[in-house]
Amino acid sequence: MAGAQRGNSRLLIALAFLSFIAMGLFVGLMGVAWPSIRLSYGIPLDAIGALFLFSMAASLIFSFSSGRLIAGVGLGVLLLIGGILASLGFLGYAAAPAWWTMILAAAIASAGTTLINTGLNTYFAIISTASLMSWLHASFGLGATISPIVMAAMLNAGYSWRWGFAFVALCFAVLSLLYLFTRRHWPLPEHKASDQSTDVPVQSSYRDSLKLAGVWLSLLLFAAFTGMEGTAGQWPYVLFTESRAIDPVVAGLWVSIFWASITMGRLFFGAIVGRTGTVPLIRACGVLIVAGSALLWWNPSNTLSFAGLILIGFAASPYFPVLASETPRLFGQENAANIIGFQITAVRLGLAIVPASVGVLARAAGLETIGLSMFAIAVAVVVLYELTLRTTARAETALPEGEGSYGKELA
């Protein structure tokens, strides 16, 4: 019986890794495909803001309510619904005859990937360690690493950008079948009442979860560092090719290397976070993000600019998996599903608002403002982390000895 459970656990972990690879494929495609998409529809540089906005709106609905959805239909069914919506949405990307239909497809795809993302992050935050969470997100980076260079090569060979999105749709269709077959094998641990007098699972209300000290700062931090990562994935290709006259194939290669640096960073930091602790690791990475964005902005040479982009990816890599994995310990398992849903909401807000705002600024003031914007966002990430750290550390002084994690590390 125990052997069967271990086998099921390995199967679910492998399926989760494949799911994150598929989600990474799309993220890597969009940055390279965007100039060609603009030409296809005759739209301006910052029109991508509309796509981000509709994606964000769909994501907010599902991520904010993910805790209740998991409790209501179960994680397995949630993943199945997410896979179906994602495959339909990305098929819509590939077949969209007009820009408005691509925006509609983006909303559908975003709803699907949000359900998968929140469900799997909740599952891993509760049943696994920061290391395994980091490796899960490294698989996202693997997909994002492969897709930009493949898309750049396809475009250079004369193929349409639509084929890339059709492939992503196929990946999610296959994942949907796998979710269907495994839907009964995704239970989440039950959260018992604190007095242990009842076997009825207890989950905090949204209101109670949002009242916890440090939650709102944590959400701002999630929005900032994912906005930084999204900006670094979306705009450097345009910056390199349209402002710095770098060959498109070379630029696509470096965008792929950026995503590879995230993958390698998550593998590396996943292996050492147990020894370094969360706080020293994230503080060191904050310094590196600021340094990398400064190099990209300064641009003393193409080589150092590329190095800055890679440093950003490597240093930003542990933020989401490490901090998300801390959520059950920091805020309690009864709040974990709710708060992880809120964190995914913040992630979607950051991914929509920050890169779109940078695009508007770049159109108004020139493409070189992209580097300056990234430097400012990097500084904001460092400041928000320190504020979150101090707020949660003060709150943890009221906890019984042995509970919490940030407070102990800060002390």
Side-chain angles (χ1 to χ4, degrees), residues 239-240 244 287-312 368 371-372 374-375:
L239 173 66
F240 293 156
R244 299 180 182 176
V287 173
L288 294 178
I289 290 174
V290 172
S293 59
L295 280 175
L296 185 65
W297 174 29
W298 180 29
N299 189 32
S301 69
N302 286 341
T303 300
L304 287 177
S305 185
F306 294 150
L309 180 63
I310 303 316
L311 188 58
I312 291 169
E368 288 299 326
L372 172 60
M374 292 177 66
F375 178 77

Side-chain angles (χ1 to χ4, degrees), residues 20 45 59 78 278 295:
F20 268 69
L45 176 71
S59 178
L78 188 83
T278 298
L295 280 175

Side-chain angles (χ1 to χ4, degrees), residues 344-370:
I344 299 296
T345 301
V347 164
R348 296 302 306 183
L349 284 168
L351 287 173
I353 294 171
V354 177
S357 300
V358 172
V360 171
L361 180 61
R363 187 186 182 196
L367 289 173
E368 288 299 326
T369 58
I370 291 171

Side-chain angles (χ1 to χ4, degrees), residues 229-266:
E229 185 178 300
T231 302
Q234 178 63 41
W235 291 118
Y237 181 82
V238 177
L239 173 66
F240 293 156
T241 57
E242 298 186 18
S243 179
R244 299 180 182 176
I246 295 170
D247 181 82
V249 174
V250 174
L253 173 63
W254 281 102
V255 171
S256 282
I257 295 174
F258 161 76
W259 290 111
S261 71
I262 293 180
T263 304
M264 297 306 297
R266 284 173 175 163

Side-chain angles (χ1 to χ4, degrees), residues 22-23 25-26 29 86-87 90 163-173:
M23 287 189 285
L25 288 173
F26 164 69
L29 284 180
S87 60
F90 289 120
W163 287 106
F165 294 102
F167 177 72
V168 177
L170 177 62
C171 290
F172 278 100

